[in-house]
Amino acid sequence: MDTNPPPVEELRRVDAELARLDARRAELLARRAWLLGVLYAPPARPAAPPFPGAVTPAETSPRGAQNVLLTLGGTLLAIAALAFTLVSWGSMGIAGRSAVLLAVTSAALAAPAVLLRRGLASTAEAVGALGLVLTVLDAYALHRVALPGTDGLGYAAVASAVLAGLWAGYGGLLRRLRLPFPAAVAAAQLPLPLGVLAAGGGPAAVAWAAVLTAAADVLLLGRPVRAEARIAAGASAGVLAAWALPVGAWLSLTSPWTGAPLLLGCAALCLYAARAVRPAASALAVVAGLAAVAAVGGPPRAALPPEWTVPVYAVCGLALASLWRPVRAGWIPGAVRAGFGLAGGGVAAVGVLWALPPVLAGVLGPADRSAGLWSGRHAAPVLADHPATAVLVLLLGAVAAATAGGVWGRWGAVALGWALLTALPVALELSYAAGLAVRLVATAAALGLAVRPGAAARGLPEPAPGSVPERPEGAWGASWTAGAAVPAAPPAPGALLGWTGLAAALASAGSALLLALDVRAATFVVLGVLLALFTAAAVLGAGAVRETAAGAAVLAAAGLAGAGAAAAGLSAAAAGLVLLLVPAGTAALAVRVRSVAAEPTGVAVGALGVALTVPRPAVLALALALGGVVAAATALRPERRRPASWTAGALFLAAAWVRLAVWGVSVPEAYTLPVTVPALVVGLLRRRRDPEASSWAAYGPGLAVTLVPGLAAVWSDPDWVRPLLLGAGALAVTLLGARFRLQAPLVLGGTALVLVGAHELAPYVVQLVGALPRWLPPAAAGLLLLAVGATYERRLCEARMLRERLARMR
């Protein structure tokens, strides 16, 4: 007998059990979170004292207060000892003061041993520091008493060496004291530089002394000594190197063969320090790289002409940056390679900035139109000091970026390659035709890169749709852990190169067009080539590249149309009519080829064409009518029907108005009735299709177009015909609004009727007011106010009822 339940029943039981387990798990998780909050909650702050004078938490610890007092006491004793040594104390001479100072120094140096045995470490530290200061004063007193004729610098060098040894030995005897060892390290920085100065050494010798002393400090960093000594050694080495490096840089400019070894020594010192101080390895490698570039580039810079200065340093920087990817991986640490890359890249970037003036001259030089359009004369570009070497720097940078690889390497190769092509006509002083050809070649190459960015991104294919990206290596892969935040991905090579190529193409095209304006034939040739190039890019490209190229192609077509009109000797108004061919063409092409940028660009060109016809109103009316025809043709497309139809109506109406103005028509109704009649027809059709539509939306605009200008004309017209016709029309509108319960015709017609009536009664009212006594109008106004005040509530009710009735109308 089968005791298993049916599958449906078993599935129900399984689902019920899973739901129960989920509920129990959620309950346990909530309980766990509460327990963790209780265990790891921060301790509550002590409550405020219940009354003044209660004990409050101490703001400083006893040991902190003790250290402050001991530091202040030691400082004051040191100041007193200094004053005792340097300033007379009664009648005691320098010898007597030296003897007293020696005894006090011995006591101060011996006291820490006793204090340490009694557990007074802080007091011992303060007294020991005082003893170290007193030894310096003892050395000064010895020089004054026993060796007054010796050289001050030489004595200071020897004394600092002796003090460094004594302090180190003192720290070895009392190892619990922390100050003697760093004090010894600080004193050890002086003997060698002071000794070289005493011997008459120049800046190079003193800088070498500083480098050797810093090297000793760096060696100390790798020794198992106390942390205080290592900190003092590191700080001292940094100070000495920061002084020696500028000296070496100055010597590399004035005496390269003297400064180069010094800079190389500083570079070697920084690289050795990078092994001992790994967190600062990259920064130290950057300093070492810059020093090496300055050292290696100094001698050849001095041997070559001045225009080769920047190229020499750029070559050295690029050679250093090439160590970013060494042939044998691993023989240079990663942090050092990163520093070398940053240093070399920075030097190369400075060289590229130096080489930019020919590029700017190639792009902006043709903008000088002082010679006039189609004059046949060409403006001479403002040349840089050394354009040929600038081109060489750009070439080296482009080659280095191309060999570097990666997204940014390819981007640099593209940008620098375009800059090189742009600077060539200026640097090599090419002929007019050759300059135009180079600019067009640069445009074509940049557009090709923008259209096909994947072909330029060597070795970096686009991922297939739905594929899972591989985990990056190195620093990127380190963050691919469970729950870790994944860093932002590097930019897509296709998009980056595409945008770069598009920007370069637009810049080169603009430069070529500006240069072509010097010669008539060149203008047509360049515009034709640009039209072909951007059209091809619009057909082959995709996304933003396609739309931008389409807009540029429309502008090139507009340029051809304008240039043709100018070559034919047409006036500005006639040229405006010619430009209307561009929006007509874009509207026709939009039926087959959809482009977001082409149509708005064509509309902008059409607006320019209409603007050119403004000085001649008759031609302006024709231009507006032609624009209306183009807009009406565009309205045949379903997706453009609403905006294009409104635009066509506005253009046709404006054309009619301009034509009426040309004919000298001054009656405003001739301008307004052509708007009112079709607007009311459109409103009627809308109300038939949508009975819930408001009368203000259906009839308001059409009625206001005629009534408002008619009222303005009535008040300035002394004749009786216009008021009669306008009043009759307003009465008809009001009656129709009341008959069909329409709010807009009732309100607008009634308001116009009242104003027309007021206009007709105004002369009689003025005569009546002039005939009445002066006191009667104020009295009448007062009585009116009293009456209104007395029946205020009733008038409000009547106004509310009128408003409700109007609200119930459509």
Side-chain angles (χ1 to χ4, degrees):
M1 181 176 179
D2 188 7
T3 59
N4 292 329
V8 175
E9 180 63 23
E10 186 177 359
L11 179 60
R12 187 189 63 79
R13 293 179 182 179
V14 170
D15 290 341
E17 185 66 20
L18 289 175
R20 187 185 65 80
L21 291 175
D22 289 340
R24 180 58 177 166
R25 185 175 185 276
E27 180 182 354
L28 292 176
L29 287 175
R31 181 64 178 174
R32 180 178 181 274
W34 181 83
L35 291 173
L36 288 175
V38 172
L39 289 175
Y40 296 104
R45 294 185 179 181
F51 54 88
V55 179
T56 57
E59 295 182 358
T60 57
S61 63
R63 181 169 295 276
Q66 177 190 10
N67 291 335
V68 171
L69 294 177
L70 291 175
T71 302
L72 291 176
T75 303
L76 292 176
L77 288 176
I79 293 173
L82 184 63
F84 170 75
T85 305
L86 300 179
V87 185
S88 62
W89 184 31
S91 59
M92 185 179 294
I94 185 64
R97 277 181 279 162
S98 301
V100 173
L101 190 60
L102 180 61
V104 175
T105 303
S106 302
L109 293 176
V114 180
L115 294 173
L116 289 174
R117 285 197 298 269
R118 296 187 177 183
L120 302 176
S122 298
T123 307
E125 198 74 49
V127 176
L130 175 63
L132 298 181
V133 174
L134 292 176
T135 55
V136 178
L137 296 178
D138 287 334
Y140 169 75
L142 179 63
H143 178 264
R144 290 289 304 274
V145 173
L147 303 170
T150 58
D151 179 58
L153 287 176
Y155 179 79
V158 175
S160 58
V162 173
L163 288 176
L166 290 176
W167 290 350
Y170 183 69
L173 293 176
L174 300 178
R175 293 188 175 274
R176 294 176 61 185
L177 294 180
R178 294 176 296 179
L179 188 60
F181 278 116
V185 171
Q189 310 304 310
L190 300 176
L192 198 54
L194 291 179
V196 172
L197 281 175
V206 177
W208 271 112
V211 170
L212 293 176
T213 305
D217 294 331
V218 173
L219 290 175
L220 186 61
L221 291 177
R223 304 288 297 175
V225 297
R226 299 182 61 166
E228 295 86 356
R230 288 200 300 271
I231 293 174
S236 301
V239 172
L240 292 174
W243 182 82
L245 281 171
V247 174
W250 174 72
L251 289 174
S252 70
L253 296 177
T254 57
S255 179
W257 292 104
T258 303
L262 179 59
L263 288 174
L264 290 177
C266 292
L269 178 63
C270 291
L271 290 178
Y272 186 83
R275 298 180 55 188
V277 189
R278 295 190 182 276
S282 296
L284 291 171
V286 170
V287 177
L290 294 176
V293 168
V296 175
R301 174 199 58 79
L304 293 173
E307 58 267 22
W308 289 94
T309 298
V310 175
V312 165
Y313 286 114
V315 169
C316 295
L318 292 174
L320 180 66
S322 65
L323 297 178
W324 168 256
R325 302 179 68 180
V327 178
R328 295 181 179 86
W331 64 279
I332 298 180
V336 175
R337 285 191 290 118
F340 282 170
L342 185 59
V347 173
V350 172
V352 169
L353 291 177
W354 174 82
L356 284 183
V359 181
L360 297 178
V363 174
L364 302 178
D368 183 9
R369 298 260 58 89
S370 58
L373 296 177
W374 296 348
S375 63
R377 298 192 302 271
H378 316 301
V382 180
L383 299 179
D385 292 336
H386 311 295
T389 51
V391 169
L392 177 61
V393 171
L394 292 175
L395 176 61
L396 292 175
V399 172
T403 57
V407 176
W408 294 109
R410 281 182 280 276
W411 175 83
V414 170
L416 292 177
W418 172 81
L420 177 63
L421 285 177
T422 306
L424 277 178
V426 177
L428 302 181
E429 298 183 6
L430 299 180
S431 63
Y432 179 75
L436 276 178
V438 170
R439 287 172 170 85
L440 292 177
V441 168
T443 304
L447 278 178
L449 182 64
V451 171
R452 300 287 185 182
R458 297 171 299 173
L460 242 162
E462 299 290 341
S467 62
V468 179
E470 297 182 359
R471 292 187 177 185
E473 301 295 334
W476 290 95
S479 62
W480 282 73
T481 56
V486 180
L496 183 62
L497 296 181
W499 281 108
T500 304
L502 183 61
L506 293 176
S508 295
S511 177
L513 181 57
L514 289 174
L515 186 61
L517 293 178
D518 291 343
V519 179
R520 177 181 300 181
T523 302
F524 286 96
V525 171
V526 169
L527 284 172
V529 172
L530 293 180
L531 176 60
L533 289 176
F534 283 111
T535 302
V539 173
L540 300 176
V545 173
R546 174 178 179 271
E547 298 299 333
T548 307
V554 173
L555 291 177
L560 277 175
L570 300 180
S571 63
L577 292 178
V578 173
L579 287 179
L580 292 179
L581 295 174
V582 176
T586 56
L589 289 175
V591 178
R592 297 282 184 180
V593 181
R594 303 296 170 87
S595 174
V596 178
E599 285 187 271
T601 308
V603 171
V605 173
L608 175 62
V610 172
L612 291 176
T613 62
V614 170
R616 297 182 60 182
V619 182
L620 174 61
L622 177 59
L624 291 172
L626 292 175
V629 172
V630 175
T634 306
L636 297 176
R637 295 162 51 193
E639 73 277 6
R640 293 285 190 268
R641 181 162 300 164
R642 181 179 295 272
S645 60
W646 282 98
T647 304
L651 290 174
F652 283 136
L653 182 62
W657 286 356
V658 172
R659 174 51 61 186
L660 290 173
V662 171
W663 288 339
V665 176
S666 59
V667 179
E669 287 77 9
Y671 297 88
T672 58
L673 286 177
V675 181
T676 297
V677 174
L680 292 178
V681 172
V682 172
L684 179 61
L685 295 176
R686 180 179 179 184
R687 288 273 297 175
R688 286 183 177 179
R689 188 177 58 182
D690 183 14
E692 299 297 325
S694 172
S695 63
W696 287 100
Y699 305 120
L703 292 175
V705 166
T706 292
L707 292 177
V708 174
L711 286 172
V714 161
W715 283 90
S716 61
D717 189 356
D719 203 356
W720 59 273
V721 178
R722 179 177 280 115
L724 178 60
L725 295 177
L726 183 60
L731 177 61
V733 170
T734 305
L735 293 176
L736 289 174
R739 168 65 180 82
F740 294 101
R741 300 179 59 82
L742 298 175
Q743 189 180 104
L746 181 61
V747 173
L748 291 175
T751 303
L753 187 60
V754 170
L755 292 176
V756 171
H759 171 266
E760 294 303 311
L761 292 177
Y764 303 102
V765 172
V766 171
Q767 294 177 5
L768 180 60
V769 171
L772 292 177
R774 297 292 182 90
W775 55 267
L776 187 58
L783 291 175
L784 177 62
L785 292 176
L786 289 177
V788 171
T791 59
Y792 182 72
E793 186 176 0
R794 184 175 180 180
R795 299 296 176 266
L796 286 180
C797 293
E798 293 176 353
R800 191 178 301 112
M801 292 174 61
L802 178 61
R803 185 184 62 188
E804 292 174 355
R805 290 173 183 171
L806 287 174
R808 286 195 293 269
M809 297 181 179
R810 288 291 180 184

